[in-house]
Each structure stands twice: as structure tokens, then as C-alpha cells.
Amino acid sequence: MAEIAAFARVKRPVVSTWRRRHPDFPAAVSENSGRPLFDGTRVAEWLIASGLGNADPTELRSELALFGIIALQERFTPWQLVETLGSLLCLRRLDRGRPLTDGTNGPLSDADADDEALWSAVLRRAERIDEEDDFVLRELHALDATAAPLVRLAEDLVEAAYDERGAYEWLLAARSRLGLDSLAADAVAPELRRLLTQLTDLRIRLQRGESLTLADPHARAGDLLAALLDDTDDRESVKVLAADPDERLARITRRRLLLAGVDELDLDVQTGPDLEERLADPDLVVTQLPYRPGEGRSVLAALAEVERVADLLRPGCTALVLGPAAALVDTLKDTEASQLRSALLRGNVVESVIALPGGVLPFRPGYRPALWTLTRGPVPEAEGKVLLADISSEQLTADVRVRLAEDVLLFRAEGFEALDGHEPRYGRVVPVAVLDRAFGGPLTPPAPPASAIWSDQVKERPALIAEAEARLERATADNRTYEEERGPYRGGVLRRDGLLPPRTTLGKLITGRRVSKLPGHRIDDRHLVADGHHSVLGPEEITGERPVGVRRIDRLVLATEYDRVALTEPGDVVYTLTPRLGLYVDHDGFSVVAFPARVLRVNRDAARPLTPRVLAALLGAARGTARSPSAVRAARRIEDYQLPDLDPDEVLRFDALLAETERRERLLRAQAYALSESRSLTIAGLADGTLTLADPPPTRRVNRP
């Protein structure tokens, strides 16, 4: 049942609810250690027919095939599963899409086919089609007829993905789930993959009618090359060169590129460190330098690899190299490494240097990557210059990716001088001569981007500071006026003589009808907006994690979708025990309380009435309200919270004191906010060099008698 939940992309209890509420839910077919087991095909058909769950029908079919593959892990290693299924899919493509379950003596039905006959037919077909063992033969020869179920699973994958390429890409996307972490260790985040694709400008080049050769001398499983081919449908105009020292990975890449639509004659994947350049000179090189652990990582070796990539480029050709920031961006302490990096910069081949954020290689979160783009023979406006960009402190979102790619592509095409004042959003264009004089210095922008310095926000900074100073002056004057009218703060607190006030509990107050407890309401997040008519108060607002008023709901939606929801009244105390005790007095009312938050309403007509402020203050000070970090629920119910039962006169005096402290806090908070805003704007302006400080005014002397 846990697998069904993962299958349908729901929580585990949802499956139990389906079994209880839907009589047509598939019955269990057997048990394993007391756990019910279900027929996967029937479950998938039920989910598709009922429309329940959060998985697309196509994904359900693919997931069903994956569960079948995982079930064979006791019989085959993860490598055997990926290699054999990939070979079967490749064989199907080489045989022009002919189903793998077709035997030499007529079609074999999936239910009745003999495993020996089916596997023998597959091997004969592989020996005939892949006679030189370029793609599939050795992987299939390594297994016997026990692998026949994989043939049927390969057909299921094709049926779910509509073609062999989609099936193979889906299989490789699931490599971690199959236990092949080593095969996924070099995978990059989707946004970084899209950034690399944009920076190659492959689609535009092909639209101009060019015939291009792509290359990757460190292909691994071919992720980067497959991402480039995903960006175009014109694969007839593309040749691909690749290499990897690992023969298994080289063959996976070879199969992957063939299934991606590259013609067999336009494809060459070498086992080893060198590309087969006799086929063609590369026009675009995209590569990720091999990962080395920190203790064995060599800055000089990484730069030597970059130099080797640069040597592949002819005039007008481009390369993208993803590697360690320690070699590509950071300060170099080794003289030989500094000389090599300076030589690369002076060679007028380095186009841009980009410091990337951590986490863009998901399996290596502690690895700091950087990206170099190389162009042989840049446009005259870009000669002798390098674009330095640093997004290491930002998240690589789609917006950041698009803007960064535009910066690099515009610099590559025309240089910024010819673009009517266009400035990069994420970096600076720096002369190579300046970097060469620094010799081994960091390749990071020497200052914030010019576009940031001259942005409207920066231009308005002095005016914003002046406004904050004016607000501070007004808030100070309001505070001074209030103190002149009311005098200094005095709480009038005395030590109590005599007996302590009797104790009561919130539960007794509720039973005595002095306080009413009202429920919260379950609100769908889809109905929450920023400009609705009613504020929504949930645990985040009550505990201060989110400002009150950010989440709102429209009155029409409230009336049509939540006909039983009651709004708060002015003075209601809204509380939550999850994730911790939080109390909020809703002085204005007309809000919607979102579960698990609830409402306490004071009965002002009671014999010994409380006020909302006093009730919230006493509950907040109650003992034993904290929760142990390991506890899943609060130590006690709120009804069990003890508080003193104050006399009505003392309640009124306490309420007046609380109201006075709230007013004074608001006045002081206005001063603090204005001073904080002025301070942060001033620091930002001095940090990026756009502001300076005037001479201080002369100090006025005060003559005291």
C-alpha cells in the first residue's frame, strides 16, 4: 500500500481511505509478511478510470513498468537492468521499431511465449543487426533466457513512452531509484542544464542552416549532449563526438545518442580520453570536468583540461566547461597554475567566467562549481575582454537563468559597447590586461553589475533614505508628544499582600460560559489571494512567522465555497498549539480562522468577565505550555492551562496597563522601523559605492547654568 501511495503520488493514509470508500478498489491478491499485495496493472487501471491520485496516466504506465523492473533486482544487478533494457530499446530502434516480442516464426504472445524461444529470437536479431557489437550485442550475450521478462518490460516502457527514446530517457531518469547512484552522481540540476543549452545557442545556429558537430570529451552517461539534442528537432544536421574512459558509460552514451535521433554514421563515442576528430571538427563543445574528491583535486589538472578543450576550437566555435570553482574562479596560490590560467586569458579565447551557486550538482552539495564559456575568434568589440559574473549567492531560478544567458549571448554576438549602453545584469566586463596584472587573483566581478548600480532602486536610494529620516522625525515627535501628555510610563505595580488569587483553568471558564471555544476552518490554499476582503489567520500568522494580512480570501469565494464559515468578532483571541503555543487578539474582527488555529471568545456579560487582552496574556504566561522537541503533540490541552481568577476591578486595571504598553510599543516600533530602513539603505549604498557621506554638521554646544 505504501508503494501504491508512491505510485499515485498521494500520502499513505489516502490509500486506506480509497480501500474503505470505493468498493471497486482492486482486492489484494496475496500477502507478504502480513502486508497485502496488489496486482499493479489492476491498480493502474483503477486509478486511470477513477481519476484519483496525482499522477498522469502516462506516468502511471511508466511507473508500473518501473515497479516490474525493481521487482527483478533480486535476479539482476542494477547495472545489468539499465544496460540490458537500454540495449533492448536500442535493438528495437535499429530494427526500425519492430516489436521485440516478434519471433522468427511469427509473433509470440506475451502470455504464452517461451522464454528460451523469445530470448533466442532476440539474440539472433542482435547478431544480425549489430554484427560489429557497436551498441547491444555484448550486453545481451552476457545474459541467458532468465532475462526474457526484460524483453516484455522494454515493450511496456515503449508503450508508455510512445517511442524507444522516451522509454530510455525515462529509464535513465530513474537510475537512482534503481540503485545506480554512481551513474547519477554527475547529473546537474534542471535549470543548470537549461542554462548550458541556452548558452550554446544551438537552435539558432541550426535555424541558419548550419550543419554542426557537438562534442563532449568527458561524456559520462551523455546527460549534457542529450539535453542539447532535446532542444532541437533538426537532428539530421547534427554530428556528435564523445569520449569517456569508462567503457560501460561510453556504450550507454552511444545508445542514448542513437535513440536521440543521431544517425549512426554521424555518431562516434570513443572509450578513452580523446575524441575521434577525423570525423569532423567540433563546432560546439559542452563538457563537465571529471569530479575529484577535495583531497585529490588538482587545480593545475583542471586548468590543463580546459586548455585541452580550448585547443579543439576553430575560429567562431564555442565551448562550455563546467568545473571546480577552486580552479576556474578562486585565487590561485600555485605559480604554475596561475601562469596557465593567465595564458588562457591572454589567448583571447575565454569569453565569460561564471561562479555558480552550490547545489546545482544535486549529488555533490558541497561541491562549488563554476562555468567558463570559450569562443575562438570573438567579435572585435569583445576582444581583450572577459565577462565576469557571480551568481553563487543566488538561487538559479528560471528568471536568473534567462537574464544570465542573455548577458553572455549579447556579449558574444556584439559586445556591450555596440548595444546602446546595455550592461550585464549579473557581472562586469573586465579587460584581460587588468586580470593579468592581478596574476592568480580571483575571477570575480570587481564591483556590483553596472545595471544594479544604475537601477531605479539605487537612483531612488537617497530619496528613500530622506523619507525614512522624515518618518523617524515624525515618529519621535509623536512619541515625545504622547509622553508630554501622559507622562513617563508607570505601571503602578505593587507587591500583593494577603492571599493569592484563586486558580482556575480555561476549561472551567468555558464550562462556566465566561469564555466560548470556537473551531477553525479548513481553507483550500487555492482560494487564498493577496487582495481578498477577509484576512486569514492560521498558525503562521499567530506565531509571527507570516505577517497578518498577507493571506486573504475573497468574500464571494467564502460565500460560495464555505457556507458554514463564521468570521471572527472584534476582540476574539485566536490561538494555536501547532507547532507551538501562539496567541493573537483580533481587535478588528471579520477574519477567517484557518485550522488548526481556533478561537476563544470572551463573554462580556458574565458575572466575572475577562477581557481579550487579559485572557491572552494569562494564557501566554501559563506554566507547562512548551512542547518537548521529540513530542508529536502538546504536553496538555489548552483547557487544562491554569490561570489566576482575578477580581473584575483588577482585570480592568490590568487591561488598561496592557493597552498602554501596546500604544507605547507601536510608537517605539515606528521609530525602530524608520531607523532600521535608513540604516540598511545607507549600508547598501556605501557597500556598492553609489553613496557617500557628507561632512558632519558642527556640534552645537549647550550652555548649562
PDB file of all heavy atoms in Angstrom, residues 668-685:
ATOM      1  N   LEU A 668       7.235  53.239  19.652  1.00  0.00           N
ATOM      2  CA  LEU A 668       8.656  52.897  19.590  1.00  0.00           C
ATOM      3  C   LEU A 668       8.971  52.052  18.352  1.00  0.00           C
ATOM      4  O   LEU A 668      10.038  52.192  17.750  1.00  0.00           O
ATOM      5  CB  LEU A 668       9.055  52.130  20.853  1.00  0.00           C
ATOM      6  CG  LEU A 668       9.011  52.936  22.166  1.00  0.00           C
ATOM      7  CD1 LEU A 668       9.276  52.027  23.353  1.00  0.00           C
ATOM      8  CD2 LEU A 668      10.025  54.073  22.128  1.00  0.00           C
ATOM      9  N   ARG A 669       8.023  51.172  17.962  1.00  0.00           N
ATOM     10  CA  ARG A 669       8.248  50.331  16.785  1.00  0.00           C
ATOM     11  C   ARG A 669       8.321  51.179  15.519  1.00  0.00           C
ATOM     12  O   ARG A 669       9.116  50.900  14.623  1.00  0.00           O
ATOM     13  CB  ARG A 669       7.138  49.292  16.678  1.00  0.00           C
ATOM     14  CG  ARG A 669       7.503  48.097  15.805  1.00  0.00           C
ATOM     15  CD  ARG A 669       6.415  47.053  15.831  1.00  0.00           C
ATOM     16  NE  ARG A 669       6.278  46.449  17.142  1.00  0.00           N
ATOM     17  CZ  ARG A 669       5.179  46.511  17.877  1.00  0.00           C
ATOM     18  NH1 ARG A 669       4.112  47.134  17.428  1.00  0.00           N
ATOM     19  NH2 ARG A 669       5.148  45.933  19.062  1.00  0.00           N
ATOM     20  N   ALA A 670       7.510  52.234  15.426  1.00  0.00           N
ATOM     21  CA  ALA A 670       7.575  53.121  14.260  1.00  0.00           C
ATOM     22  C   ALA A 670       8.945  53.776  14.165  1.00  0.00           C
ATOM     23  O   ALA A 670       9.515  53.915  13.074  1.00  0.00           O
ATOM     24  CB  ALA A 670       6.470  54.168  14.345  1.00  0.00           C
ATOM     25  N   GLN A 671       9.506  54.183  15.309  1.00  0.00           N
ATOM     26  CA  GLN A 671      10.855  54.749  15.300  1.00  0.00           C
ATOM     27  C   GLN A 671      11.879  53.702  14.879  1.00  0.00           C
ATOM     28  O   GLN A 671      12.766  53.983  14.062  1.00  0.00           O
ATOM     29  CB  GLN A 671      11.205  55.290  16.691  1.00  0.00           C
ATOM     30  CG  GLN A 671      10.434  56.525  17.115  1.00  0.00           C
ATOM     31  CD  GLN A 671      10.827  56.963  18.511  1.00  0.00           C
ATOM     32  OE1 GLN A 671      10.273  56.515  19.500  1.00  0.00           O
ATOM     33  NE2 GLN A 671      11.825  57.838  18.596  1.00  0.00           N
ATOM     34  N   ALA A 672      11.755  52.495  15.427  1.00  0.00           N
ATOM     35  CA  ALA A 672      12.735  51.449  15.120  1.00  0.00           C
ATOM     36  C   ALA A 672      12.687  51.078  13.641  1.00  0.00           C
ATOM     37  O   ALA A 672      13.737  50.900  13.011  1.00  0.00           O
ATOM     38  CB  ALA A 672      12.472  50.220  15.989  1.00  0.00           C
ATOM     39  N   TYR A 673      11.481  50.971  13.061  1.00  0.00           N
ATOM     40  CA  TYR A 673      11.363  50.607  11.654  1.00  0.00           C
ATOM     41  C   TYR A 673      11.992  51.667  10.756  1.00  0.00           C
ATOM     42  O   TYR A 673      12.720  51.359   9.812  1.00  0.00           O
ATOM     43  CB  TYR A 673       9.895  50.427  11.281  1.00  0.00           C
ATOM     44  CG  TYR A 673       9.277  49.143  11.780  1.00  0.00           C
ATOM     45  CD1 TYR A 673       7.892  48.980  11.835  1.00  0.00           C
ATOM     46  CD2 TYR A 673      10.064  48.083  12.232  1.00  0.00           C
ATOM     47  CE1 TYR A 673       7.313  47.806  12.308  1.00  0.00           C
ATOM     48  CE2 TYR A 673       9.507  46.912  12.704  1.00  0.00           C
ATOM     49  CZ  TYR A 673       8.133  46.785  12.740  1.00  0.00           C
ATOM     50  OH  TYR A 673       7.569  45.628  13.210  1.00  0.00           O
ATOM     51  N   ALA A 674      11.706  52.943  11.041  1.00  0.00           N
ATOM     52  CA  ALA A 674      12.253  54.026  10.211  1.00  0.00           C
ATOM     53  C   ALA A 674      13.773  54.070  10.325  1.00  0.00           C
ATOM     54  O   ALA A 674      14.488  54.240   9.319  1.00  0.00           O
ATOM     55  CB  ALA A 674      11.645  55.356  10.627  1.00  0.00           C
ATOM     56  N   LEU A 675      14.293  53.913  11.545  1.00  0.00           N
ATOM     57  CA  LEU A 675      15.743  53.944  11.731  1.00  0.00           C
ATOM     58  C   LEU A 675      16.399  52.742  11.049  1.00  0.00           C
ATOM     59  O   LEU A 675      17.457  52.874  10.416  1.00  0.00           O
ATOM     60  CB  LEU A 675      16.058  53.947  13.228  1.00  0.00           C
ATOM     61  CG  LEU A 675      17.532  54.127  13.613  1.00  0.00           C
ATOM     62  CD1 LEU A 675      18.059  55.453  13.119  1.00  0.00           C
ATOM     63  CD2 LEU A 675      17.690  54.020  15.128  1.00  0.00           C
ATOM     64  N   SER A 676      15.767  51.563  11.143  1.00  0.00           N
ATOM     65  CA  SER A 676      16.324  50.369  10.516  1.00  0.00           C
ATOM     66  C   SER A 676      16.354  50.506   8.993  1.00  0.00           C
ATOM     67  O   SER A 676      17.334  50.115   8.345  1.00  0.00           O
ATOM     68  CB  SER A 676      15.507  49.148  10.924  1.00  0.00           C
ATOM     69  OG  SER A 676      15.957  47.992  10.267  1.00  0.00           O
ATOM     70  N   GLU A 677      15.287  51.051   8.399  1.00  0.00           N
ATOM     71  CA  GLU A 677      15.264  51.216   6.944  1.00  0.00           C
ATOM     72  C   GLU A 677      16.336  52.185   6.484  1.00  0.00           C
ATOM     73  O   GLU A 677      17.044  51.934   5.501  1.00  0.00           O
ATOM     74  CB  GLU A 677      13.883  51.703   6.498  1.00  0.00           C
ATOM     75  CG  GLU A 677      13.761  51.824   4.987  1.00  0.00           C
ATOM     76  CD  GLU A 677      12.386  52.270   4.550  1.00  0.00           C
ATOM     77  OE1 GLU A 677      11.513  52.466   5.416  1.00  0.00           O
ATOM     78  OE2 GLU A 677      12.185  52.434   3.328  1.00  0.00           O
ATOM     79  N   SER A 678      16.483  53.312   7.187  1.00  0.00           N
ATOM     80  CA  SER A 678      17.527  54.277   6.827  1.00  0.00           C
ATOM     81  C   SER A 678      18.910  53.649   6.941  1.00  0.00           C
ATOM     82  O   SER A 678      19.774  53.833   6.074  1.00  0.00           O
ATOM     83  CB  SER A 678      17.412  55.508   7.730  1.00  0.00           C
ATOM     84  OG  SER A 678      18.471  56.407   7.478  1.00  0.00           O
ATOM     85  N   ARG A 679      19.124  52.868   7.984  1.00  0.00           N
ATOM     86  CA  ARG A 679      20.429  52.219   8.193  1.00  0.00           C
ATOM     87  C   ARG A 679      20.735  51.225   7.085  1.00  0.00           C
ATOM     88  O   ARG A 679      21.842  51.235   6.511  1.00  0.00           O
ATOM     89  CB  ARG A 679      20.424  51.514   9.551  1.00  0.00           C
ATOM     90  CG  ARG A 679      21.675  50.724   9.880  1.00  0.00           C
ATOM     91  CD  ARG A 679      21.537  50.093  11.263  1.00  0.00           C
ATOM     92  NE  ARG A 679      22.724  49.341  11.618  1.00  0.00           N
ATOM     93  CZ  ARG A 679      22.943  48.066  11.306  1.00  0.00           C
ATOM     94  NH1 ARG A 679      22.025  47.403  10.608  1.00  0.00           N
ATOM     95  NH2 ARG A 679      24.056  47.463  11.673  1.00  0.00           N
ATOM     96  N   SER A 680      19.772  50.347   6.736  1.00  0.00           N
ATOM     97  CA  SER A 680      20.029  49.322   5.718  1.00  0.00           C
ATOM     98  C   SER A 680      20.263  49.943   4.348  1.00  0.00           C
ATOM     99  O   SER A 680      21.129  49.491   3.591  1.00  0.00           O
ATOM    100  CB  SER A 680      18.862  48.334   5.667  1.00  0.00           C
ATOM    101  OG  SER A 680      17.656  48.998   5.315  1.00  0.00           O
ATOM    102  N   LEU A 681      19.504  50.990   3.989  1.00  0.00           N
ATOM    103  CA  LEU A 681      19.712  51.651   2.702  1.00  0.00           C
ATOM    104  C   LEU A 681      21.073  52.325   2.646  1.00  0.00           C
ATOM    105  O   LEU A 681      21.754  52.306   1.602  1.00  0.00           O
ATOM    106  CB  LEU A 681      18.600  52.674   2.453  1.00  0.00           C
ATOM    107  CG  LEU A 681      17.203  52.109   2.163  1.00  0.00           C
ATOM    108  CD1 LEU A 681      16.158  53.226   2.182  1.00  0.00           C
ATOM    109  CD2 LEU A 681      17.188  51.409   0.811  1.00  0.00           C
ATOM    110  N   THR A 682      21.492  52.929   3.745  1.00  0.00           N
ATOM    111  CA  THR A 682      22.799  53.589   3.773  1.00  0.00           C
ATOM    112  C   THR A 682      23.924  52.572   3.634  1.00  0.00           C
ATOM    113  O   THR A 682      24.884  52.771   2.872  1.00  0.00           O
ATOM    114  CB  THR A 682      22.960  54.380   5.084  1.00  0.00           C
ATOM    115  OG1 THR A 682      21.902  55.338   5.181  1.00  0.00           O
ATOM    116  CG2 THR A 682      24.306  55.093   5.116  1.00  0.00           C
ATOM    117  N   ILE A 683      23.815  51.456   4.353  1.00  0.00           N
ATOM    118  CA  ILE A 683      24.845  50.418   4.257  1.00  0.00           C
ATOM    119  C   ILE A 683      24.928  49.883   2.838  1.00  0.00           C
ATOM    120  O   ILE A 683      26.025  49.704   2.282  1.00  0.00           O
ATOM    121  CB  ILE A 683      24.543  49.282   5.251  1.00  0.00           C
ATOM    122  CG1 ILE A 683      24.749  49.773   6.686  1.00  0.00           C
ATOM    123  CG2 ILE A 683      25.431  48.069   4.980  1.00  0.00           C
ATOM    124  CD1 ILE A 683      24.336  48.769   7.741  1.00  0.00           C
ATOM    125  N   ALA A 684      23.762  49.624   2.200  1.00  0.00           N
ATOM    126  CA  ALA A 684      23.760  49.105   0.835  1.00  0.00           C
ATOM    127  C   ALA A 684      24.407  50.080  -0.127  1.00  0.00           C
ATOM    128  O   ALA A 684      25.179  49.691  -1.018  1.00  0.00           O
ATOM    129  CB  ALA A 684      22.330  48.795   0.398  1.00  0.00           C
ATOM    130  N   GLY A 685      24.124  51.359   0.020  1.00  0.00           N
ATOM    131  CA  GLY A 685      24.705  52.356  -0.879  1.00  0.00           C
ATOM    132  C   GLY A 685      26.197  52.503  -0.720  1.00  0.00           C
ATOM    133  O   GLY A 685      26.937  52.635  -1.704  1.00  0.00           O
TER     134      GLY A 685
END
